[in-house]
Amino acid sequence: MSKPKGFEKPTGFRDYTPHVVSKLRTIERNVLECMERWGYRQIITPTIEYYDTVGVASSTSDRKLFKLLNSRGTTLVLRSDLTAPIARVVSSMLKDEQLPLRLSYHANVFRSIEEEAGREAEFFQTGVELVGDDSPEADAEVVALAIASLQAAGVSSFKIAMGHMGFLNGLLEEVIPGQTTEQEQLKEGLLGRDYVGYRQSIEALNLEPKLKEQLEAILRLRGGKEVCTHAVELSSSAEAAQSIAHLCAVFEVLEAYGVSEHVLIDLTMIGDFSYYTGMTFEGYAAELGSPVCSGGRYDNLLQQFGRSLPATGFALKTNRIIDGVHGITIEEKKPVLIQYTPKRRAEALTEAARLRSMGQNVVTLLLPEDGAGASAVSVEARNAQAEQVITYGPEEGGR
């Protein structure tokens, strides 16, 4: 293996130039302020966690975790999401706080990837967790806040696809009871949006035509509130019926929020089925085919940290918004240039400090004692770099 060149970096990691950082920070600030207005308080957790606690509790598959050893030989991981670390904190440091808890975050996360173009091993997420409330109101709140957060991030045209894990679980157990392997295979097809593969898996089951139709009909359950009616007619499972009732209640709350125009019910949308336990959703921007946010209910996670509490939340995929959505335009704020000769340094730097204290961006430039070259520097700065040029030189007698 050849030695990396001096300008190379590991695959999946990137440099953020000043303009991109400005966009990132603007999105971060706008979204966190939006979340704060909804009552969510910001939390920060460590970049590195223990594998045996947060690592195994994470929704990220084991092969995608960045693992390392500390000096005692204990396995650590770089955080791959924020939900598991926050669950750890809620179960320990925040165990005496009144429920429900509303927490927000913005942080970089790390996931090991295959070396292929366009995939990132480090990226940013901005999101919330609502802990201690299992009601449709809570699920609707995080969906409505996701919509408000996307708008705050500059995403103007998007759709939220909302589903429920319980409906699919109930339907599969009704049609192919006890066939865990086959159920997982069908879920894999839906999770990967491989509908051809999903239909092939149905054919391989050798079911009666009526049962095949039941499984295939889920692919048509996409739309508005009318989907709830069709879903109830499709399955007689008690779990499926309860799940649809919950999902419809969530949709009714979203109607009260006035945001249901952004939401469609999609019962093929199951999220990570090893992680979510109830309502799940994904947000798609008009410019992108991949999700810019995702979330849902995960009522079993906190049990792994010794505290059984329901929870729901979401995360914006901030990098995708930065790179693929053109909603936020960053106008570069040009600084004032103060240029000066050595003898007038004190005056110039005092003025620079005064302007900075007033919120102005200021850069300084030392000129030769005789002022030679001052004109050329001033013209260049005025035309390309500076909003205003102030000169402290030998001939000005001031500014």
Side-chain angles (χ1 to χ4, degrees):
M1 182 177 177
S2 61
K3 182 179 179 180
K5 297 187 174 79
F7 55 80
E8 290 183 331
K9 57 189 179 298
T11 301
F13 294 84
R14 65 187 283 186
D15 299 307
Y16 291 81
T17 59
H19 180 75
V20 177
V21 170
S22 293
K23 190 172 183 180
L24 170 65
R25 296 305 181 206
T26 299
I27 292 173
E28 173 190 1
R29 181 176 63 253
N30 291 351
V31 172
L32 287 175
E33 287 177 354
C34 173
M35 293 170 174
E36 185 177 9
R37 289 192 293 270
W38 284 60
Y40 287 76
R41 298 173 294 160
Q42 190 174 357
I43 186 171
I44 298 176
T45 64
T47 304
I48 297 176
E49 298 271 2
Y50 284 117
Y51 170 75
D52 287 338
T53 55
V54 168
V56 297
S58 168
S59 64
T60 307
S61 63
D62 196 75
R63 64 184 178 85
K64 291 186 177 181
L65 295 174
F66 276 102
K67 300 176 185 177
L68 57 157
L69 298 176
N70 65 10
S71 59
R72 298 188 300 275
T74 305
T75 304
L76 309 173
V77 292
L78 295 178
R79 64 184 173 214
S80 62
D81 63 29
L82 270 293
T83 302
I86 289 175
R88 174 183 58 76
V89 176
V90 168
S91 301
S92 54
M93 298 176 68
L94 300 180
K95 63 182 179 180
D96 295 327
E97 292 213 8
Q98 185 175 349
L99 298 174
L101 280 171
R102 290 176 169 85
L103 302 171
S104 64
Y105 60 84
H106 174 83
N108 54 341
V109 296
F110 304 85
R111 295 178 190 173
S112 181
I113 60 167
E114 300 293 334
E115 294 195 3
E116 55 185 276
R119 299 293 299 276
E120 290 187 297
E122 179 188 16
F123 50 94
F124 288 90
Q125 288 186 339
T126 312
V128 303
E129 311 297 347
L130 174 52
V131 181
D133 188 341
D134 62 357
S135 69
E137 296 282 337
D139 282 334
E141 179 177 312
V142 298
V143 175
L145 179 52
I147 290 170
S149 298
L150 286 171
Q151 292 169 335
V155 185
S156 58
S157 181
F158 59 88
K159 280 289 183 184
I160 301 289
M162 185 173 68
H164 199 293
M165 283 297 304
F167 176 78
L168 182 63
N169 289 337
L171 176 64
L172 292 179
E173 189 60 28
E174 178 185 2
V175 176
I176 48 174
Q179 299 184 43
T180 306
T181 301
E182 290 78 5
Q183 289 181 15
E184 296 298 308
Q185 188 174 7
L186 289 169
K187 289 179 181 179
E188 288 282 2
L190 294 178
L191 181 64
R193 300 292 183 182
D194 179 10
Y195 300 140
V196 172
Y198 177 77
R199 287 190 172 94
Q200 290 174 342
S201 297
I202 293 173
E203 288 298 323
L205 293 173
N206 294 318
L207 297 172
E208 297 177 6
K210 181 180 179 180
L211 297 179
K212 287 183 180 180
E213 172 57 27
Q214 267 187 281
L215 294 179
E216 288 186 1
I218 196 173
L219 299 178
R220 298 189 294 272
L221 294 180
R222 301 178 74 250
K225 196 160 58 173
E226 73 281 356
V227 170
C228 295
T229 302
H230 299 322
V232 170
E233 295 171 350
L234 180 63
S235 173
S236 59
S237 161
E239 181 181 5
Q242 184 179 8
S243 300
I244 289 301
H246 182 96
L247 196 62
C248 288
V250 172
F251 195 88
E252 288 175 359
V253 179
L254 293 172
E255 288 179 319
Y257 273 112
V259 298
S260 59
E261 66 186 74
H262 297 289
V263 182
L264 62 86
I265 295 176
D266 181 356
L267 292 179
T268 69
M269 222 299 300
I270 62 173
D272 184 341
F273 55 80
S274 66
Y275 189 68
Y276 292 114
T277 59
M279 183 274 298
T280 63
F281 67 95
E282 289 181 340
Y284 292 85
E287 299 98 321
L288 295 173
S290 52
V292 290
C293 78
S294 61
R297 178 161 291 281
Y298 53 96
D299 287 346
N300 297 333
L301 176 61
L302 275 89
Q303 293 179 4
Q304 300 184 51
F305 296 95
R307 193 177 187 193
S308 182
L309 286 174
T312 185
F314 74 88
L316 298 190
K317 302 178 186 301
T318 314
N319 283 60
R320 291 181 183 174
I321 296 174
I322 292 170
D323 297 333
V325 179
H326 307 294
I328 287 184
T329 301
I330 303 299
E331 294 184 8
E332 184 177 355
K333 185 178 180 181
K334 292 185 178 181
V336 172
L337 170 65
I338 296 182
Q339 54 188 14
Y340 56 89
T341 57
K343 288 184 178 181
R344 307 199 62 188
R345 180 184 289 115
E347 295 175 76
L349 297 185
T350 298
E351 177 64 8
R354 185 187 73 83
L355 292 175
R356 287 171 181 146
S357 70
M358 297 171 61
Q360 178 66 57
N361 297 344
V362 181
V363 296
T364 59
L365 174 66
L366 177 64
L367 298 174
E369 182 65 61
D370 60 3
S375 176
V377 172
S378 299
V379 170
E380 179 184 356
R382 184 178 293 112
N383 291 342
Q385 299 178 349
E387 177 185 288
Q388 180 185 2
V389 178
I390 301 173
T391 303
Y392 285 83
E395 299 178 357
E396 283 74 7
R399 281 191 275 170

